[in-house]
Amino acid sequence: MKYILLIWITWAIVFASDKPSPRWGLGCALLSGALYCYGGQLRNETSNAMFKLDLYKSWNTDEPSWTQDPVGSAGGPATAYYALAVFSNRLLINGGSEPLAFSTLLYDTNQWLTLPTSPNSQRKQHTATADHEGRLWLWGGISDYSTYGGPTIYHNTWIVIDTNTWSYSYPIVHNTPPPRIDHTATTMPNGQILIMGGVVYSRNITDPNGAQTLNPVSMSSLMLFDTAGGQWSNVTAGGNIPAPRRGHSACLSWDESSILIFGGGTPVYLDENTLLNDVFILQLDSMRWTAPSIHGVPPKPRKYHSANVVDDLMLVLFGIGNGGYNDIGILSTSTWAWTTQYTSNPAWLSGNLSASHGVVKNSTGTYSSDTRSNSRDPDDAPYVQEQNITAPIDTNHDPQVNPAKHIRITAGVIAGVLSGGVVVVSYIVCVCYAT
């Protein structure tokens, strides 16, 4: 009897450790039929753990199909409040709340790679979104002592990473809006980038001296950036306007006709406890807000969570509210109901979109298995100060490596080194670590 009890306890410890602990300020992205969720802020530390939610399996929200990814957890730095984007089945992380030796990292499910750092100060609470030409657009955010050891800087400039040539560029924009943090950026079907929500660093109208401060932004005041022409434009949305918010999520719907927002917090530092768990829809053809009537029990109010649209489902994960969360909320946009059951659609996950309703997008931009070549005329590109990145660098290489040096290490070598060590380490992590 004692022997049977010992086996059961050991199994329970290993199983429980696969579920992430509560965390916030992280991103999740769809890679190879699973949601990969990296890092985030824990109660007393910042994490570098990578967790994988298997979407090829059906599961209930009481027991989601989580596993800790040993390769992803072994090579990346601890970070939170970073910007995340996905292209060509690879995950890109830029910046975050911890100073990084390399401010931009790539993960392709079997290795971490790094890009030499942009000369700009490392940012956090900014956004990254992919366009249809293989470029990643980073905007907004804040640099401070936690990111680079210097004074606070709020950003309103673009950094563009061209994944076709692995180069940085910096658009010249003449009608630049005020700096902003905790907003969302979504690539529209027409290629423009829509910015909404967050807080802007602008004049404090209550200060007679005109000092700058963080001010709320109405959810009726939207901004569009034309990536082809390098121009901002303001859009006034109508309808049932959501309350101002920061740290919310925004997902492009499966049919690309609308954007779904969820949750967030009120943009006032003096009222940190006012959190939201509402859902609003922005119809892109009319730029009007609506609030659907939704059945079921919604997730608890939260901000700094992650949300992803998979087919006709919106999955809400993690976040902070009354403490941190590690739960999953599932919203069916076909029935407009919160549900506790995820039912896998292997045909759709394998790329047969006709097998179901949707495409996959979220606040980080387009999730796509192909990256289109950059066919734009370089004479029309509104960029200057192009900086060659050379090639991605293996994060497990010598830490003294020169970032500007052209280095290539084959995936087979990296995966072999990692897989040779993680088999044992993963068991140690399961027993000893609470990531």
Side-chain angles (χ1 to χ4, degrees):
M1 185 65 180
K2 291 182 178 179
Y3 178 71
I4 295 175
L5 182 61
L6 179 60
I7 293 176
W8 182 85
I9 292 174
T10 302
W11 174 85
I13 292 173
V14 173
F15 178 83
S17 68
D18 279 340
K19 184 176 182 178
S21 59
R23 59 196 61 214
W24 57 94
L26 72 160
C28 297
L30 180 66
L31 301 175
S32 303
L35 278 181
Y36 283 75
C37 303
Y38 182 71
Q41 184 64 50
L42 281 60
R43 177 175 295 181
N44 297 315
E45 62 180 340
T46 305
S47 174
N48 73 333
M50 178 80 78
F51 288 92
K52 180 171 67 173
L53 181 64
D54 192 345
L55 299 178
Y56 275 104
K57 296 180 180 179
S58 298
W59 39 263
N60 189 277
T61 54
D62 290 333
E63 295 185 0
S65 185
W66 284 112
T67 56
Q68 185 167 355
D69 179 47
V71 177
S73 300
T79 188
Y81 302 108
Y82 53 81
L84 178 148
V86 170
F87 68 100
S88 298
N89 208 41
R90 289 184 288 181
L91 182 153
L92 179 140
I93 289 174
N94 177 268
S97 58
E98 300 289 336
L100 305 177
F102 300 92
S103 62
T104 304
L105 300 99
L106 298 174
Y107 184 67
D108 65 0
T109 74
N110 61 31
Q111 63 178 322
W112 279 102
L113 303 171
T114 63
L115 303 180
T117 302
S118 165
N120 296 61
S121 301
Q122 181 178 308
R123 305 181 185 187
K124 65 178 181 178
Q125 294 167 265
H126 57 308
T127 52
T129 184
D131 67 12
H132 304 312
E133 299 181 4
R135 296 171 301 183
L136 304 173
W137 296 75
L138 313 177
W139 190 77
I142 178 177
S143 301
D144 59 14
Y145 186 82
S146 71
T147 66
Y148 81 112
T152 299
I153 304 171
Y154 291 95
H155 298 282
N156 63 348
T157 55
W158 289 100
I159 299 175
V160 180
I161 301 176
D162 190 331
T163 65
N164 302 293
T165 59
W166 289 117
S167 60
Y168 287 110
S169 55
Y170 309 91
I172 297 175
V173 181
H174 298 291
N175 57 338
T176 301
R180 186 180 301 218
I181 64 172
D182 291 343
H183 53 284
T184 57
T186 308
T187 301
M188 307 271 281
N190 62 6
Q192 293 184 325
I193 298 174
L194 179 67
I195 305 289
M196 65 173 71
V199 287
V200 297
Y201 187 66
S202 58
R203 181 179 178 274
N204 183 356
I205 59 175
T206 65
D207 188 337
N209 296 321
Q212 301 283 93
T213 189
L214 291 173
N215 291 302
V217 181
S218 171
M219 294 297 283
S220 67
S221 299
L222 311 179
M223 297 192 308
L224 277 174
F225 184 74
D226 180 1
T227 59
Q231 292 290 323
W232 286 102
S233 59
N234 295 316
V235 176
T236 301
N240 186 0
I241 310 297
R245 60 197 64 208
R246 62 188 298 183
H248 56 292
S249 58
C251 302
L252 194 62
S253 65
W254 60 267
D255 61 357
E256 300 185 314
S257 67
S258 60
I259 292 176
L260 288 73
I261 68 166
F262 173 82
T266 53
V268 180
Y269 277 115
L270 298 179
D271 193 10
E272 288 292 320
N273 293 322
T274 303
L275 299 166
L276 305 166
N277 66 345
D278 48 2
V279 175
F280 282 83
I281 304 169
L282 178 67
Q283 298 293 336
L284 297 181
D285 58 351
S286 61
M287 287 295 175
R288 292 187 63 82
W289 288 104
T290 59
S293 177
I294 301 176
H295 305 286
V297 180
K300 294 179 181 180
R302 66 193 64 199
K303 61 182 176 180
Y304 299 131
H305 55 280
S306 178
N308 299 74
V309 168
V310 178
D311 194 5
D312 64 337
L313 303 176
M314 182 173 72
L315 275 59
V316 176
L317 308 94
F318 305 109
I320 184 171
N322 185 18
Y325 295 116
N326 62 348
D327 57 346
I328 302 176
I330 304 175
L331 176 64
S332 169
T333 62
S334 296
T335 62
W336 292 114
W338 291 102
T339 179
T340 59
Q341 183 63 41
Y342 169 78
T343 302
S344 177
N345 186 338
W348 183 85
L349 289 170
S350 298
N352 182 11
L353 299 184
S354 64
S356 187
H357 299 117
V359 295
V360 181
K361 306 255 181 159
N362 80 351
S363 59
T364 65
T366 304
Y367 291 161
S368 148
S369 60
D370 68 316
T371 301
R372 303 180 190 179
S373 61
N374 186 355
S375 58
R376 193 214 251 164
D377 184 349
D379 293 335
D380 295 333
Y383 311 128
V384 295
Q385 297 179 314
E386 182 170 298
Q387 176 191 354
N388 190 13
I389 304 178
T390 67
I393 301 172
D394 170 28
T395 60
N396 297 289
H397 198 68
D398 184 350
Q400 302 301 317
V401 67
N402 180 358
K405 188 176 181 181
H406 186 108
I407 297 175
R408 287 190 181 274
I409 302 177
T410 64
V413 172
I414 298 172
V417 172
L418 290 173
S419 62
V422 295
V423 175
V424 176
V425 173
S426 63
Y427 285 103
I428 296 174
V429 170
C430 287
V431 177
C432 302
Y433 285 61
T435 51

